[in-house]
Amino acid sequence: MRARATARSVAVELEQMGRIGVSHSLRIRLARTALCNGTGLEQELLVSGEMNEDDYYKAFAAALGLPYLPSLPLEQIFYSDKLEIQLQMPRMVRLYPPASPPVTVLVPEAFRLAELEDQFRRFPSLRQSIAITSPGALRQAVWQIGSVRRTEEASNSLFNHAPAYSARQVVTGPQGFWAGFSLAGLVGGLVISASVFLPLLHVVLSTAYLSMLALRAATLIHQSRRRAQRPDPLSHTPLPVYTVLVAMYREKSVVSQLVDALKRLDWPPALLDVKLACEADDEETLEALEKLSLPPWFEIVRVPAIGPRTKPKALNYALAGARGTFLVIYDAEDRPHPGQLKEAYARFSNCPDEIACLQAPLIIANGEESWISSLFALEYAALFRGLLPMLARLHMPLPLGGTSNHFRTDILRRIGGWDPYNVTEDADLGLRLYRAGYRCQTLRCQTLEDAPISARIWIGQRSRWFKGWLQTWLIMMRHPLRTCRDMGLRAFFMFQLMIGGMLLSSLFHPAILIFFATNLCVMLQPASTPLPWRDVIMFWVDMTNILGSYAIFMTLGRGAMTGHERKKLGLRYFAIPFYWLMTSYSAWKAALELRTKPFFWNKTPHRARPRPPIAEPLRTAQATGAEERLRLLLQEPPPEKTEAI
């Protein structure tokens, strides 16, 4: 339970754990690992699989002559906010049995075994009011007794403390007024003088579209000039605890793949805190997880079915128990690079404290399955390996992806976590971090995930994203001047291009196509008089918008891809116009859903993929140094050198 072990504490544990029944050979092996990882023997024992938690703490209780409680009676625990800290550091709770004195239930440490025995020798009556339990039993009790209040906090904390940043209120009164005024002006202009209003609308839309094209072109230039980024050196100090959060709902088919992928993370298991947040009524997923016999560093968090049924609410609920100094979010179908956590820790260690989040690139692994997944892979390559690195280099706000976000946990808690009412919580969080004075950067180690292969699933997922981007834009534009002051003029303008421009270009892409087709038909017809210069200019602007957007979309994505990825893509980029029309349809669907069911979470189904080979871990210099420290600790001579025969 200690934050960090020392050689002295390891020496004490070596002696005391022998009295609990841990064999000498196992203690020596655990000490070697503990000195290598900067942990304790007890931590290493509990994740090693050599002795389960119940057996260990039962033996601890027997050594002290105290009763052991494998589970705690919930009705005898008085809940208060102070009890929440036991989710992160399970140490102690008091029971209030009826008609009996209170009982203090401890989660003891081997390091303090002798100290506890000394206390009992000096005060024998203490034994009457003390019992022993395990960390898992204590956490489970606290999760249960505080579940309703914690769910309320997870659902409404942001709205209660900072309502201007919450999507719970879809549209404010002033926004509703201006939306109605704009719609009335649009309809009125078309009715009164369509011949004047339509050309004006054409100019406005084409100019906005051209601005988005300029942003993509700038990304393309940045991509061509970008040099390979040197990896940050990994600190030689002991690693901290790292929390991994995964929100799961109806994920029975991928639970085995997920657990295998998380087991491959290159981080000491004793310093990993993996939390799988599942809806309490999702019996199929919970049953599939329980059948896997999860490692001791995994914990299933059951999220009560109260409030919005969204991923961010589940993440907020599980965040209460996060033990890590750093925290990463993954989706259930993700296969993160094993070295991603160490790269993120190295970056955090070498960058200013204002860097609150690191976004790992997401790479589509099933790009060859259909034309939809191929173009999805192209789009992700352009976004995560093109646009986001450019924005990070320019110190601009990042609309985060929904997975593989690495955070400083204290900052994440400080800004209120995720908005449970925003169905694209990642983009909202990236912008909220920027407004609070923090920045985001990008990583090199990727996360593999799968794209939808059917139009129905793709449209359902994309419409949810568009709905969340609409929510985010409305939140940021509740007080435009305040938002501009918080972000700065350059960042505010970039936000309008990234979110506002993307929404506008998606919604009105068919209109640009119609304008272009109309002007093309006019130009192809023989005319007795020259065409007005305005029509000629707008024709070329529209052609640049359409063909340029398609070309940059393809070039930016292909430029970020590896040769193998480009080979899998083949000639499917000819379907880009259809892909953009599907995008427009999804955007209009999202706009209608924002009115009828703003918080509906359109779940994307996932399926398992073939398992990649597992590489053997390398023996590091840190492990060699641990061998030397262990010999000094045990006062053993180094092995004698022998001559080769």
Side-chain angles (χ1 to χ4, degrees):
M1 303 301 169
R2 301 187 303 281
R4 188 60 58 207
T6 63
R8 179 173 174 272
S9 66
V10 169
V12 174
E13 286 182 303
L14 273 170
E15 176 186 353
Q16 300 298 339
M17 287 177 66
R19 299 175 53 202
I20 303 174
V22 183
S23 68
H24 179 74
S25 60
L26 178 56
R27 279 181 284 146
I28 297 301
R29 181 152 46 90
L30 294 173
R32 185 177 294 114
T33 308
L35 288 171
C36 177
N37 295 334
T39 54
L41 269 71
E42 194 170 58
Q43 289 172 277
E44 296 296 340
L45 173 66
L46 294 176
V47 300
S48 67
E50 299 285 350
M51 192 174 190
N52 68 44
E53 196 178 72
D54 260 350
D55 291 341
Y56 175 75
Y57 284 98
K58 190 180 297 182
F60 206 122
L64 290 171
L66 295 173
Y68 174 71
L69 302 179
S71 61
L72 302 181
L74 303 184
E75 69 279 1
Q76 296 180 18
I77 301 175
F78 174 75
Y79 177 77
S80 70
D81 290 342
K82 295 180 180 179
L83 200 60
E84 291 292 290
I85 193 63
Q86 300 299 325
L87 293 174
Q88 302 166 35
M89 300 175 62
R91 297 286 179 83
M92 179 187 73
V93 70
R94 286 177 71 84
L95 301 181
Y96 297 91
S100 300
V103 175
T104 301
V105 182
L106 300 177
V107 177
E109 298 174 289
F111 180 68
R112 303 191 182 279
L113 178 59
E115 180 184 330
L116 286 171
E117 289 181 322
D118 181 61
Q119 291 286 328
F120 292 145
R121 279 194 298 270
R122 293 169 56 195
F123 306 101
S125 60
L126 279 178
R127 294 182 182 275
Q128 308 300 320
S129 60
I130 292 182
I132 302 296
T133 192
S134 67
L138 178 50
R139 280 198 303 267
Q140 186 64 26
V142 177
W143 279 121
Q144 291 184 58
I145 63 173
S147 60
V148 175
R149 185 168 179 177
R150 196 176 303 110
T151 306
E152 171 66 24
E153 187 75 9
S155 300
N156 298 310
S157 176
L158 182 64
F159 179 77
N160 292 336
H161 295 96
Y165 293 91
S166 172
R168 179 173 166 180
Q169 183 180 9
V170 180
V171 177
T172 63
Q175 286 179 320
F177 169 79
W178 286 111
F181 181 81
S182 301
L183 182 60
L186 178 63
V187 174
L190 290 172
V191 170
I192 295 172
S193 181
S195 61
V196 175
F197 188 79
L198 278 176
L200 179 62
L201 181 64
H202 184 188
V203 171
V204 172
L205 291 179
S206 296
T207 303
Y209 211 98
L210 195 61
S211 300
M212 275 299 298
L213 180 61
L215 176 61
R216 296 190 184 103
T219 306
L220 188 61
I221 295 171
H222 171 265
Q223 184 185 70
S224 64
R225 295 178 177 177
R226 189 180 59 182
R227 296 179 179 178
Q229 184 180 3
R230 297 180 63 181
D232 294 281
L234 187 63
S235 173
H236 293 294
T237 58
L239 299 175
V241 176
Y242 216 116
T243 293
V244 177
L245 278 188
V246 185
M248 308 180 69
Y249 182 53
R250 295 186 298 190
E251 301 288 6
K252 175 185 176 181
S253 60
V254 296
V255 292
S256 179
Q257 172 185 278
L258 171 68
V259 172
D260 287 343
L262 297 183
K263 284 180 181 178
R264 289 195 293 271
L265 291 173
D266 183 15
W267 200 265
L271 297 173
L272 265 181
D273 171 36
V274 179
K275 287 185 164 46
L276 308 178
C278 301
E279 297 292 327
D281 57 357
D282 185 9
E283 297 178 0
E284 287 190 349
T285 303
L286 290 169
E287 184 180 350
L289 286 169
E290 289 165 358
K291 286 180 179 178
L292 290 178
S293 299
L294 295 174
W297 60 93
F298 281 65
E299 181 180 13
I300 299 173
V301 178
R302 290 169 169 80
V303 182
I306 304 172
R309 299 289 289 260
T310 61
K311 171 186 171 182
K313 188 208 77 174
L315 293 176
N316 278 344
Y317 186 87
L319 180 62
R323 297 189 294 111
T325 305
F326 303 103
L327 178 149
V328 61
I329 304 301
Y330 290 125
D331 281 343
E333 82 277 16
D334 286 353
R335 285 89 72 197
H337 188 287
Q340 194 179 108
L341 267 59
K342 284 191 173 177
E343 185 196 0
Y345 173 59
R347 178 69 60 81
F348 278 129
S349 300
N350 290 282
C351 69
D353 291 343
E354 67 175 6
I355 304 301
C357 177
L358 301 172
Q359 172 70 66
L362 306 181
I363 295 180
I364 298 302
N366 66 331
E368 75 286 354
E369 287 196 49
S370 74
W371 69 272
I372 291 177
S373 63
S374 290
L375 296 183
F376 198 108
L378 192 72
E379 184 179 15
Y380 259 35
L383 175 63
F384 289 100
R385 288 176 273 175
L387 178 61
L388 294 189
M390 182 194 75
L391 294 175
R393 186 178 65 85
L394 297 176
H395 298 179
M396 290 290 102
L398 265 64
L400 299 172
T403 176
S404 304
N405 313 138
H406 297 253
F407 298 97
R408 298 184 193 269
T409 310
D410 59 336
I411 293 178
L412 182 61
R413 287 195 171 108
R414 196 178 306 152
I415 68 163
W418 296 267
D419 183 355
Y421 293 93
N422 193 314
V423 296
T424 310
E425 79 294 337
D426 38 17
D428 165 75
L429 183 56
L431 294 168
R432 190 150 36 94
L433 281 168
Y434 196 90
R435 290 187 69 176
Y438 300 107
R439 291 197 294 110
C440 304
Q441 290 186 355
T442 57
L443 297 174
R444 297 171 68 241
C445 289
Q446 78 281 355
T447 294
L448 299 179
E449 64 175 30
D450 297 327
I453 60 175
S454 72
R456 181 183 62 82
I457 295 175
W458 186 94
I459 289 171
Q461 181 188 69
R462 191 56 58 102
S463 64
R464 171 169 57 83
W465 292 358
F466 272 114
K467 184 167 59 176
W469 290 327
L470 279 165
Q471 289 176 312
T472 302
W473 188 84
L474 288 169
I475 289 170
M476 299 287 282
M477 295 302 291
R478 285 173 178 173
H479 305 285
L481 294 179
R482 184 189 306 171
T483 302
C484 188
R485 285 195 300 268
D486 291 344
M487 302 180 73
L489 186 59
R490 288 175 64 245
F492 182 76
F493 178 71
M494 185 63 73
F495 153 72
Q496 295 295 351
L497 278 181
M498 287 188 304
I499 304 297
M502 179 264 297
L503 290 169
L504 194 67
S505 63
S506 299
L507 287 167
F508 292 101
H509 182 68
I512 298 294
L513 289 175
I514 292 171
F515 286 138
F516 173 69
T518 302
N519 280 342
L520 180 62
C521 290
V522 171
M523 293 188 70
L524 291 177
Q525 291 178 0
S528 56
T529 58
L531 288 173
W533 62 267
R534 183 195 64 192
D535 292 345
V536 175
I537 291 175
M538 293 310 300
F539 169 78
W540 288 106
V541 168
D542 289 339
M543 188 167 70
T544 302
N545 278 336
I546 294 169
L547 300 183
S549 295
Y550 295 161
I552 289 180
F553 178 85
M554 179 189 70
T555 307
L556 187 58
R558 284 178 60 86
M561 284 180 160
T562 63
H564 177 66
E565 288 177 293
R566 288 194 291 269
K567 185 177 179 180
K568 291 198 299 183
L569 179 64
L571 300 178
R572 289 170 174 164
Y573 48 77
F574 285 114
I576 288 175
F578 300 102
Y579 192 79
W580 279 48
L581 286 173
M582 285 173 55
T583 299
S584 184
Y585 174 79
S586 301
W588 282 106
K589 183 173 183 289
L592 295 175
E593 277 193 5
L594 189 64
R595 174 66 181 86
T596 57
K597 41 184 180 180
F599 313 127
F600 170 67
W601 188 278
N602 198 319
K603 177 75 176 65
T604 304
H606 302 125
R607 52 200 178 97
R609 299 285 295 173
R611 182 180 303 179
I614 301 176
E616 290 294 328
L618 298 176
R619 184 176 178 80
T620 63
Q622 188 178 12
T624 305
E627 296 279 0
E628 297 300 324
R629 283 179 286 163
L630 182 62
R631 290 193 192 99
L632 291 174
L633 187 64
L634 299 174
Q635 296 182 347
E636 293 180 356
E640 296 182 2
K641 294 183 179 179
T642 58
E643 296 292 334
I645 299 176

